[in-house]
Every structure is written in C-alpha cells, then in structure tokens.
Amino acid sequence: MTIRKLWTYSMLALMVISCNKKEKQQNTPPNFKYLNYSKNVLNYSGEPKTKNDRSSLVFSDQGAWFGYSLKNTSSRELAHSGPFLMTQENGVWLSPALTRLHLSQNGKPISAVTSSIKEGEKYSLASHLQQEFTSNDFLIKQQLVFLNEKTALHKTRVKNNSNQNQTIEYWLDGSLFKNDMELTYNRNLITITSNKSSAIGYIKLPKEMTSLIIKDTFNYETNKIQFTLPPNTEKEITFSHSFLFPSQTWKTEDKLIKKSEFDSVLKARKKIKNTELSSIFNNLNPQIHHEASPTIISKAHLTLQNNWRTPAGELKHAGLFPSYHYEWFHGFWSWDSWKHAVGLSFYNIDLAKDQIRAMYDYQQDNGFIIDCIYRDTLIEKHNTRDTKPPLSAWAVMNIYKKDKDLLFIKEMYPKILKYHNWWYKDRDFDGDGLCEYGSTDGSLVAAKWESGMDNAIRFDNSKLLQKNETTYSLNQESVDLNAYLYAEKIYLSEMAKLIKRSNEANKLKKDAHSIKLRIQEQFFDKHDGWFYDTSIDGSKFIKGEGSEGWTALWAKVASDEQAETVIKKMLDPTKFYTKVPFQTMSADHAKFDPLNGYWRGPNWLDQAYFGVKGLRNYGYHSEANAATLKILNGAEGLLKKGPSIRENYHPITGQGLHAKNFSWSAAHIMMLLTNEIY
C-alpha cells in the first residue's frame, strides 16, 4: 500500500470516528498540544532599571508596537514589567511597571498577612503571559493577552480558598521612567503623551476607580476598593493598556475593549497559536528527528511573533523587524524581508505576502528596491544608498507553493521582473551579462552593504567604478549575486508560465541557461575546487573561501563535478565542518576572526541553510541531515528553553553573537527542519 493510499484510508477512518463521536467532542476541552510546546521557550523574566535597559526579552503579539516582560522569579509583585515601547525613539521602556495591583487585609499586604503564601508559577506561552500565587487562603492568577495590535488586556482573579469570608482591599498604581512622557487623567482613563512620539497611550482602569491621584506627571495611584469574598468564590479585576497612532481613535478602540470578554479573547489566541504551530510541525522533515524539535520550532515561531509589526507611519504593510532587541533594527530590510516571508509562509500566508509588499511599496520607477524602510523617518531615514541580493522571487514562489494563489503571482511578477531587469541596467558596468554589487551614492561602504555581507574579505581591496551620477559598481563580479540572478530567472520563468506569459517564460529560461554556463566558466577555480568572485573582466579570482562559494549549489547552477569538489571542502572539519558548520569563511584562513569580524567567520544561519540546501540539491541528503543536526546542537542555547535565537554564532565554540531575537535566524531554522522545496 502506498503512503498516499494509507494516508487517505486513515483520514476516512478518522472522519467516521469523528462523526460517531461528534456529541462527545462538543464537551471535550480543546487540545492545545502544539501551543504547550511554547511554554517558557523564551525567558521573559526581567525588570528594567532604566528606560534603555535591554537586559530582558519582551513578549508581544498581533503586530503590536509594544510588549512586556514577566517580573523576576523571586518577585511577588502583581504586575508585568513594561511596556517596552517601539513607538518611542528606537525602543525604550515606558515604565518598570505601568500598572501594579495591590491587595491588602486590615491595612497589611496579603503576602505579609498570610505568611504561608508561596510562589505559584510564572510562565509564557505564544498566546499570553501568566503568573499565579497560592496560599492556604488565596489563589491569585494574573494574565496578559493582546486583544489586537493596539491593546493588551490584563486580568487578575483573586479566589478565596478558605472556608470563611475574606474582606480584601485593592488599588492600582504605576510610574513612568522620566523619558519625555507624562500622565493626565479623566475619571478612570489615564492618557500618556510624549514630545518625542505622536503615539498616545491609554490606561483604562476598572469602572469603580474614578478617583485618581496623579502624584506628579510620572506617578499615579487610584482610590482603594473593598470587597468581600465568600468561600470558594473569586473576584476579577481587569484593565487595559492601549497605544494608538494618530490615524487610530481612542473612541473606536474603547468600544472594542468594552465589547471584548477576556476569556474569549484568550481562548481565541490560544486556538490561533496552536493552529500556527501545528502548521509548522506538520511540515517537519521526518528524516531529521530531534527530541528538541518542539522547543526550537516553538522558539523560532515566537521570535518571529515578537518581531512582527503592523502597518504604521511610513510602513504601509505589516512585516518583521530583524530584531526589536537591537535599537538599530527597528525597520524592514529587503534581504531580511524575503527570508522572513519564507519562514512566515509555513503558518501565516497573509503576513508573508505583506512582508513582500512592504518593500515593494517603495519600488522606484526604474525598478530599484531600497535597502531598508522605517516607520518614522524623523528617527531614522530610509536607506536608498543600496539594495540587497535579489531573493524576492524565491520568497514569492515559496509562498505560492503553500496556497497556490495566482492573484499574488500576477500582482508580484511584473514588479519583480522590473527589479530583476534593473540589475542588468544599473549593475552590469561592462555590459557582459554578469552583475556587480554597487551603490547609488558613490560610497564604497554602501556597495559592500548591497551584498548583505558587509565586511567579507572578498571586498577588502574593492574599488568603485562610476557609470553615471547615481550608478556605481564594484570593480568585481560576484558569484553569489549572479547565482541569485540565475535562480531568479528560473523562478520568474515559472511565474510567467503560471500566468500564461509563455514567451517571457521561454526567454527567461533561455537566459538562465546562458548565465549558468557563464557562472560555471568564470567563477569556478578548477585548481582550488571553489567558486570565487572575480575581477570585473573575469581574468582574476579574488581568493578566500567563503560561504558565497556554495551559493552556486543552492541555486543549482554548478555542474555535478564542481559541486562535488565544493562539498568536499564544506565537509572538511578544518574548513567549514566546524562545531556550527557552514560559517561565512573557512576556519583555516588567516583572516578568520569570528569574535571581531561580522562576516569574517561567524555562522549566519541563512548562509548555513544555503549550504545545507546546496547539499540536498546534489543528492547529499544524509550529509545534509547530519549537518542540520550539527548546526542545531552546536549553536549555543538553540535547543534549550530560555535563551533567545541570536544573529549569528561562533563556529568553533558555538557562542551566540550580536543581536538577540533575530528573525532571519528563526526563519532559516524553520527551513532547515521542514520540507521547504526551493
């Protein structure tokens, strides 16, 4: 019996069982198996000491521009740290705890009155944050869930576990860091304004809290409310935090908050997150078994979730920051965006498409796609000095593979084709059909940035050549760029065929064949068995084995014989098969320096993925599986609950380097572990 038939029979059997047990299932609690994998996969514990304290991670959801941390394990404070605002400067903490709940009996804190109180559990899931405290007399449960991208709902349940009535008094207070913000209030609504941001914050307090004390513009305290709890009953205390941009109105948001029921919102978020995670897990490659897969997949999913931002200001579509945790990564980058989109396509197709659209919103008339865009250009200007390697067609075809949406292909094909043709108009200095990296402003650094591999050793002696006032090229032709362009011709040909543009499809395919032969001839050094960049006339190799060498294998542009020699070096422990394999340059090179060289030795998981995919493209599947497991085991903290996914890793020690919570690392982890075709 074939696997397909077995799957079909199994599904029919499940349908019959499902019909017979329909009544029973209606009374069965939802199974959040996949959601539960996300429990505490990232450690959100932390209490910021200053507005710029980035020592702790931040939980957010729904594309919100703000997030929270859990209080430290030892803290009994009924509050969450934050919020951390991405609407202010390049990310600052608004408060150590914007809204704290206080409970007392007879004028004394409950924790002091009930000396037997012990800490319950503090934890995070992809859906929400939660902390519990228990004693002989009380159960106190506090939860935080995002209603949408504008509002976080906070709910505390106080349950009387004793056999007698308990009279309790409660109130709320909070404080701001002194960071150009101030508080004002009207009845049970506190407004937060800033002279550095147009976003406005709102704290919606319980209705009975109508008497507030604004101690100064940075501190507030509410009136005290008394209530009595009979045995085995509970009191619910709810409030909300909202942060709105000028295009959004508090009146509309307030209506939505009033209509929302906390438990229903939380249940819906749990269901959505469980569905997203199940979608990823159902795509896992069965040949790569690892007991820690639930942890690393959940961590990757949550990393992308925390970096998700909805449209605001100059950002016209939703997308992901490379890392909210690093202050200079609060924007969208083109190269990052294509990679994010592929990761997102496993569980959120709409967001994956919007991530692509976000960069094409700024496509220039000549086809050029700018390097990066920001919400607020008063904080940071868009970078139009360079673009990034052409991978958007790859991303779009990976999205199409998931949902077969021809309308998206029709939308994106002419835009990507225009961008593709731009490379040959503005980045082929000598008109020989092979392209170079360059810049629009005549700066050498921007030309290096355009490669995405800023300070790689192949650019150490590069110079710029000027074609016209806004068109500059490096004096070298790069193997990775032309391999990407070859792959893009193949993807564009497939797209053209899908939308019935057969003449264009045929031409693109023919051009791809031509450039394939050129790449094999010009960039491959037979003596070294490696692909290198060359001088612009193709007469001289720019030596130094780097990860760009296996881009030809990822693009399937190398011959079988060429691939064999490259793979031999990739699997050499003295070169690239290190503790964390397939780093950016060979470990035996004199300039190999992972701790001091951003692209001179660290392992970037995108490059490692291209290497693994290159192995698969040439039939080295067992080697690809082994390399994948070696990467995941070698990279510090990847398989453990708590540590964040890093920007890159030391290939010899495994140490996590540079930015935390890095999106493209998370996206490529998904690609490494799933059945991603392209």
Side-chain angles (χ1 to χ4, degrees):
M1 182 180 292
T2 66
I3 292 176
R4 183 178 294 276
K5 286 182 179 179
L6 180 60
W7 181 87
T8 303
Y9 294 151
S10 299
M11 291 304 296
L12 289 171
L14 286 172
M15 290 171 64
V16 172
I17 293 170
S18 175
C19 291
N20 290 338
K21 295 186 176 181
K22 183 176 181 181
E23 186 66 30
K24 181 178 179 180
Q25 283 186 341
Q26 289 177 347
N27 299 317
T28 302
N31 179 1
F32 294 124
K33 168 186 173 182
Y34 299 102
L35 174 64
N36 290 333
Y37 290 150
S38 71
K39 186 174 182 179
N40 291 332
V41 293
L42 288 174
N43 179 11
Y44 291 110
S45 296
E47 299 179 17
K49 305 304 180 186
T50 67
K51 71 173 187 176
N52 295 313
D53 184 352
R54 293 177 185 262
S55 59
S56 58
L57 307 185
V58 176
F59 172 87
S60 65
D61 193 11
Q62 302 265 57
W65 286 79
F66 60 105
Y68 302 83
S69 295
L70 289 164
K71 287 291 181 178
N72 288 331
T73 306
S74 60
S75 173
R76 293 181 181 178
E77 193 172 30
L78 292 173
H80 291 96
S81 297
F84 178 77
L85 298 182
M86 287 158 272
T87 58
Q88 183 85 0
E89 302 169 64
N90 272 336
V92 295
W93 290 97
L94 171 62
S95 168
L98 184 57
T99 306
R100 291 181 291 254
L101 172 64
H102 299 271
L103 299 168
S104 69
Q105 284 184 313
N106 303 318
K108 296 182 180 180
I110 284 181
S111 59
V113 173
T114 56
S115 57
S116 63
I117 193 168
K118 58 184 179 180
E119 185 189 351
E121 189 176 17
K122 297 185 181 185
Y123 66 87
S124 62
L125 291 168
S127 53
H128 69 291
L129 298 179
Q130 182 163 317
Q131 60 179 350
E132 298 178 14
F133 299 89
T134 61
S135 72
N136 293 331
D137 295 332
F138 299 104
L139 167 65
I140 303 169
K141 180 188 292 186
Q142 191 169 56
Q143 297 170 307
L144 181 158
V145 66
F146 280 84
L147 172 64
N148 53 32
E149 78 278 13
K150 300 181 286 293
T151 295
L153 303 177
H154 304 247
K155 182 173 185 175
T156 303
R157 290 180 174 86
V158 183
K159 184 179 180 182
N160 181 2
N161 282 340
S162 72
N163 58 8
Q164 59 185 3
N165 289 347
Q166 299 283 353
T167 299
I168 302 171
E169 196 171 47
Y170 86 96
W171 70 98
L172 301 169
D173 70 8
S175 61
L176 307 183
F177 286 120
K178 294 184 178 181
N179 54 3
D180 306 300
M181 298 185 185
E182 63 179 24
L183 302 169
T184 57
Y185 81 97
N186 181 18
R187 295 181 65 80
N188 68 326
L189 181 67
I190 299 176
T191 303
I192 307 164
T193 54
S194 167
N195 61 16
K196 287 189 176 180
S197 173
S198 59
I200 299 176
Y202 299 91
I203 307 173
K204 182 71 178 290
L205 300 170
K207 291 181 180 179
E208 59 264 34
M209 293 185 163
T210 57
S211 176
L212 274 71
I213 301 172
I214 301 292
K215 297 179 179 179
D216 52 47
T217 57
F218 303 108
N219 298 273
Y220 74 91
E221 184 176 309
T222 72
N223 54 303
K224 296 181 178 179
I225 307 295
Q226 191 175 86
F227 62 92
T228 299
L229 278 179
N232 204 36
T233 62
E234 63 181 36
K235 165 78 172 177
E236 294 183 352
I237 303 167
T238 61
F239 59 88
S240 63
H241 293 164
S242 303
F243 294 89
L244 309 183
F245 293 107
S247 60
Q248 303 159 336
T249 66
W250 168 246
K251 184 177 180 180
T252 301
E253 191 66 12
D254 189 32
K255 287 181 180 178
L256 181 60
I257 294 169
K258 289 175 180 176
K259 290 191 300 183
S260 301
E261 197 277 319
F262 186 95
D263 288 349
S264 297
V265 173
L266 180 56
K267 184 177 180 181
R269 297 313 298 160
K270 287 181 175 180
K271 184 176 180 180
I272 289 171
K273 296 304 174 185
N274 192 71
T275 300
E276 289 180 350
L277 284 163
S278 68
S279 178
I280 304 169
F281 280 100
N282 289 335
N283 275 289
L284 290 180
N285 184 342
Q287 295 179 337
I288 308 174
H289 173 72
H290 200 294
E291 61 183 10
S293 290
T295 295
I296 186 58
I297 287 294
S298 300
K299 188 185 289 189
H301 169 264
L302 195 47
T303 298
L304 298 187
Q305 175 180 310
N306 291 333
N307 281 323
W308 171 20
R309 305 279 87 83
T310 52
E314 294 280 299
L315 303 178
K316 301 172 186 178
H317 283 91
L320 306 182
F321 286 174
S323 170
Y324 72 83
H325 201 272
Y326 180 59
E327 62 180 323
W328 302 115
F329 283 161
H330 284 215
F332 299 167
W333 271 253
S334 56
W335 201 23
D336 300 64
S337 293
W338 319 142
K339 298 168 183 179
H340 299 165
V342 177
L344 290 166
S345 71
F346 290 110
Y347 67 93
N348 191 333
I349 289 288
D350 290 340
L351 182 54
K353 292 174 181 176
D354 278 352
Q355 176 76 94
I356 299 287
R357 293 180 176 115
M359 297 309 304
Y360 275 91
D361 286 333
Y362 285 87
Q363 184 171 29
Q364 297 182 358
D365 290 342
N366 64 354
F368 178 71
I369 296 293
I370 67 177
D371 183 17
C372 54
I373 56 178
Y374 300 94
R375 175 187 65 85
D376 185 350
T377 54
L378 294 179
I379 297 175
E380 197 157 1
K381 301 291 184 184
H382 304 320
N383 181 21
T384 62
R385 300 168 66 186
D386 56 272
T387 183
K388 279 293 189 287
L391 285 167
S392 59
W394 165 70
V396 167
M397 285 305 293
N398 272 284
I399 292 170
Y400 174 76
K401 182 188 70 176
K402 309 297 194 307
D403 73 347
K404 307 299 182 184
D405 181 6
L406 277 176
L407 290 178
F408 186 57
I409 297 295
K410 289 179 180 178
E411 173 190 352
M412 295 310 306
Y413 171 76
K415 297 178 181 181
I416 298 174
L417 181 62
K418 191 175 183 180
Y419 180 36
H420 182 80
N421 290 335
W422 169 86
W423 283 96
Y424 292 95
K425 293 175 183 175
D426 279 26
R427 291 292 185 271
D428 182 6
F429 184 83
D430 55 1
D432 68 345
L434 294 174
C435 294
E436 314 88 29
Y437 292 117
S439 64
T440 63
D441 67 345
S443 64
L444 181 60
V445 67
K448 295 179 180 181
W449 289 346
E450 189 161 278
S451 73
M453 299 175 67
D454 310 351
N455 69 333
I457 62 168
R458 56 184 164 138
F459 303 124
D460 282 357
N461 299 308
S462 299
K463 295 181 180 179
L464 276 181
L465 304 172
Q466 183 175 4
K467 189 172 184 179
N468 57 49
E469 187 177 347
T470 60
T471 305
Y472 298 81
S473 285
L474 293 177
N475 62 337
Q476 67 192 70
E477 292 174 338
S478 291
V479 59
D480 54 338
L481 173 57
N482 287 283
Y484 293 139
L485 288 168
Y486 163 79
E488 189 161 72
K489 290 181 189 297
I490 297 297
Y491 298 133
L492 283 167
S493 177
E494 293 178 17
M495 293 166 72
K497 188 175 180 180
L498 286 168
I499 58 177
K500 311 301 182 185
R501 297 191 182 189
S502 56
N503 289 339
E504 293 176 21
N506 292 335
K507 184 180 185 305
L508 284 160
K509 195 170 183 179
K510 182 179 178 181
D511 290 346
H513 178 71
S514 176
I515 196 175
K516 180 176 184 176
L517 297 177
R518 295 284 308 283
I519 291 171
Q520 291 178 2
E521 292 170 1
Q522 178 165 320
F523 297 108
F524 186 73
D525 183 336
K526 295 179 182 178
H527 180 267
D528 288 1
W530 198 258
F531 285 95
Y532 296 117
D533 284 10
T534 70
S535 57
I536 198 164
D537 63 1
S539 64
K540 182 180 178 182
F541 291 115
I542 299 173
K543 296 292 186 78
E545 294 157 345
S547 59
E548 66 276 3
W550 59 69
T551 309
L553 279 63
W554 170 82
K556 295 186 277 191
V557 72
S559 70
D560 290 343
E561 294 76 14
Q562 290 171 338
E564 184 179 356
T565 63
V566 171
I567 290 171
K568 183 177 180 180
K569 291 198 172 189
M570 290 173 66
L571 298 177
D572 183 342
T574 67
K575 291 183 174 293
F576 291 101
Y577 209 61
T578 54
K579 181 174 182 177
V580 190
F582 305 158
Q583 72 277 7
T584 49
M585 63 179 293
S586 182
D588 63 359
H589 195 282
K591 293 183 178 180
F592 178 75
D593 190 6
L595 289 179
N596 298 303
Y598 202 47
W599 283 89
R600 302 167 88 91
N603 182 303
W604 293 73
L605 293 182
D606 67 321
Q607 299 299 305
Y609 169 76
F610 291 155
V612 170
K613 185 61 176 173
L615 295 179
R616 295 197 187 283
N617 286 341
Y618 289 84
Y620 290 78
H621 295 290
S622 61
E623 291 84 353
N625 293 341
T628 297
L629 294 176
K630 191 172 175 66
I631 290 165
L632 299 181
N633 280 298
E636 179 185 58
L638 272 190
L639 301 179
K640 295 179 181 178
K641 289 191 173 186
S644 65
I645 296 173
R646 301 299 291 268
E647 186 173 3
N648 43 57
Y649 293 86
H650 195 297
I652 307 301
T653 68
Q655 178 187 356
L657 304 172
H658 301 104
K660 298 178 180 179
N661 308 290
F662 203 71
S663 289
W664 94 23
S665 297
H668 283 284
I669 286 169
M670 292 182 184
M671 293 178 224
L672 282 166
L673 288 173
T674 54
N675 292 315
E676 189 270 320
I677 293 176
Y678 290 113

